[in-house]
């Protein structure tokens, strides 16, 4: 999707520019009779007409392009796939998680309690994409890990791998940070639709009438053309965890692809709530991240600080994405563990 976002930005900019031109012109015309040289005021407004015309032309062209874009669910998914890939490749270039080199991450099969498929799932680093494609039978994966163990980074690595290997018509992996979801207020499907429209505004366009009056985002969800990668389940309030798990199970029953990350203790607590009916996600394969080796962390921190084993590393300032915050928490957690 040569960016759902770029076209929507052009549209917003055009509308804002036209509104400002209109307000400014009206104000100037109201003031002109009260000044000594009204003609000078009118002459000063003439150059703005060219800008207003260009803004209107861009707006009309943008609307025409959006109207002519295919609305077939498969085509919409293919465009979304391009947008997701560009989004996370740009994020990777900005945050440079491989600088000075990728921090090694390994995992083993999770315990049988939280997950149903646990055998033959051990691996490390870039093997996560092949593992999901070849050893997760129902495309339903539970990623467990301690705080700061790199769950989000592993999910992003998986997402990029799936987008890279995706063929036309397959589901598009989309990362949804669950911290902003209130399972008591909105169901997961409705919340994901809102998030898709928020991040990719073109998906908020009405779908053709034969699809039942939903949005393009709604089509993708209804046709199972989105593979939800749900990150940060442990960031939800503990009292809502069982309800959230139930909501996820309702929206993503057995047969729907799903990736979910959580901390081991919090996930087990959600499976066994003190009140209410226990909920469980069926058909889940499970992996649990291994603690990093102290020597690997020490070497990484030394190189990242410009130590004797590598040249100085130029640091980037600014930015505050969830990925970068998670990366910082990961290194601080492992640094504190090593210090203890």
């Amino acid at each position: 999707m040569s960016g759902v976002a770029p076209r929507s930005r052009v549209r917003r900019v055009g509308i804002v520019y036209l509104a400002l031109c209109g307000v400014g012109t009206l104000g100037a015309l109201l003031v002109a009779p009260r000044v000594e040289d009204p003609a000078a005021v009118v002459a000063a407004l003439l150059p703005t007409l060219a800008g207003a015309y260009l803004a209107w032309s861009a707006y009309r062209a943008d609307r025409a392009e959006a109207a002519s874009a295919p609305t077939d669910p498969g085509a919409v998914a293919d465009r979304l796939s391009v947008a997701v890939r560009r989004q996370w490749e740009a994020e990777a270039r900005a945050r440079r998680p491989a600088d000075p080199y990728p921090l090694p991450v390994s995992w083993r099969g999770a315990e049988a309690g939280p997950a149903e498929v646990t055998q033959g799932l051990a691996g490390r680093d870039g093997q996560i994409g092949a593992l999901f494609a070849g050893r997760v039978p129902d495309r339903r994966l539970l990623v467990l890990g301690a705080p700061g163990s790199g769950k989000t980074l592993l999910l992003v690595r998986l997402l990029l791998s799936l987008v890279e290997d995706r063929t036309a018509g397959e589901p598009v992996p989309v990362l949804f940070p669950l911290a902003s979801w209130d399972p008591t207020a909105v169901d997961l499907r409705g919340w994901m639709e809102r998030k898709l429209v928020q991040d990719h505004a073109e998906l908020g366009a009405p779908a053709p009438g034969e699809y039942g009056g939903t949005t393009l985002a709604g089509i993708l969800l209804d046709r199972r053309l989105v593979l939800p990668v749900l990150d940060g389940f442990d960031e939800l309030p503990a009292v809502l965890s069982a309800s959230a798990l139930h909501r996820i199970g309702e929206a993503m029953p057995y047969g729907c692809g799903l990736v979910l990350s959580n901390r081991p203790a919090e996930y087990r607590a959600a499976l066994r709530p003190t009140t209410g009916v226990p909920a469980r996600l069926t058909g889940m394969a499970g992996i649990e991240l291994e603690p990093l080796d102290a020597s690997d962390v020490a070497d990484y921190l030394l190189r990242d600080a410009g130590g004797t084993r590598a040249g100085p590393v130029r640091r980037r300032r600014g930015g505050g994405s969830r990925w970068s915050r998670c990366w910082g928490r990961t290194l601080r957690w492992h640094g504190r563990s090593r210090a203890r």
Side-chain angles (χ1 to χ4, degrees):
M1 214 179 234
S2 64
V4 178
R7 288 205 292 266
S8 65
R9 281 198 295 269
V10 171
R11 185 180 304 129
R12 288 195 296 270
V13 170
I15 293 174
V16 171
Y17 189 84
L18 286 174
L20 291 176
C21 284
V23 172
T25 301
L26 179 62
L29 292 177
L30 291 175
V31 172
R34 304 179 183 180
V35 299
E36 295 181 358
D37 189 2
V41 176
V42 175
L45 291 174
L46 292 178
T48 66
L49 297 179
Y53 174 76
L54 292 175
W56 176 249
S57 298
Y59 172 75
R60 290 288 300 275
D62 179 56
R63 295 286 291 183
E65 182 181 0
S68 64
T71 54
D72 172 77
V76 175
D78 291 341
R79 297 200 306 274
L80 175 62
S81 178
V82 174
V84 169
R85 179 177 179 176
R86 289 178 177 173
Q87 171 191 355
W88 287 104
E89 285 180 346
E91 183 76 6
R93 287 192 298 270
R95 304 304 163 198
R96 302 190 301 177
D99 185 4
Y101 60 85
L103 191 64
V105 177
S106 61
W107 57 86
R108 64 181 186 275
E111 296 179 1
E116 298 175 12
V117 180
T118 60
Q119 299 299 315
L121 299 181
R124 64 180 291 122
D125 302 330
Q127 297 174 352
I128 186 63
L131 179 143
F132 188 84
R135 286 183 276 168
V136 177
D138 297 307
R139 297 176 66 84
R140 292 167 70 84
L141 179 65
L142 174 66
V143 179
L144 300 175
S149 59
K151 295 186 295 295
T152 297
L153 295 173
L154 187 68
L155 294 186
V156 172
R157 181 176 279 177
L158 171 61
L159 182 147
L160 288 173
S161 176
L162 294 178
V163 170
E164 177 71 24
D165 297 335
R166 177 186 178 271
T167 58
E170 287 188 341
V172 182
V174 179
L175 192 146
F176 294 94
L178 289 175
S180 62
W181 176 41
D182 181 357
T184 64
V186 61
D187 63 277
L188 182 68
R189 189 265 186 207
W191 177 79
M192 289 193 298
E193 181 177 0
R194 277 194 236 162
K195 291 294 290 183
L196 283 171
V197 173
Q198 176 183 327
D199 295 339
H200 307 282
E202 187 176 285
L203 294 181
E210 62 266 28
Y211 293 107
T214 184
T215 62
L216 294 181
I219 290 180
L220 296 182
L221 293 169
D222 293 341
R223 296 298 180 95
R224 307 300 184 191
L225 288 173
V226 171
L227 174 67
V229 180
L230 306 178
D231 185 29
F233 186 93
D234 47 78
E235 295 187 23
L236 295 172
V239 295
L240 299 180
S241 60
S243 172
L245 199 60
H246 176 71
R247 288 279 198 167
I248 293 173
E250 282 184 329
M252 309 298 299
Y254 180 75
C256 301
L258 166 70
V259 180
L260 174 68
S261 77
N262 201 354
R263 301 174 185 175
E266 281 79 351
Y267 191 73
R268 293 187 185 93
L271 291 174
R272 298 187 296 270
T274 55
T275 60
V277 179
R280 184 180 187 85
L281 301 180
T282 58
M284 298 292 288
I287 62 174
E288 184 165 351
L289 273 60
E290 299 273 15
L292 289 178
D293 183 82
S295 61
D296 290 335
V297 177
D299 185 64
Y300 186 95
L301 294 174
L302 181 62
R303 291 184 182 232
D304 189 49
T308 57
R309 302 182 208 178
V313 178
R314 186 181 63 174
R315 302 301 185 89
R316 294 179 69 91
R317 296 178 179 272
S321 71
R322 189 177 189 282
W323 189 9
S324 63
R325 293 196 299 272
C326 171
W327 184 246
R329 289 198 303 268
T330 299
L331 293 184
R332 288 195 298 273
W333 182 79
H334 287 299
R336 290 195 298 269
S337 298
R338 179 174 178 271
R340 288 196 294 268

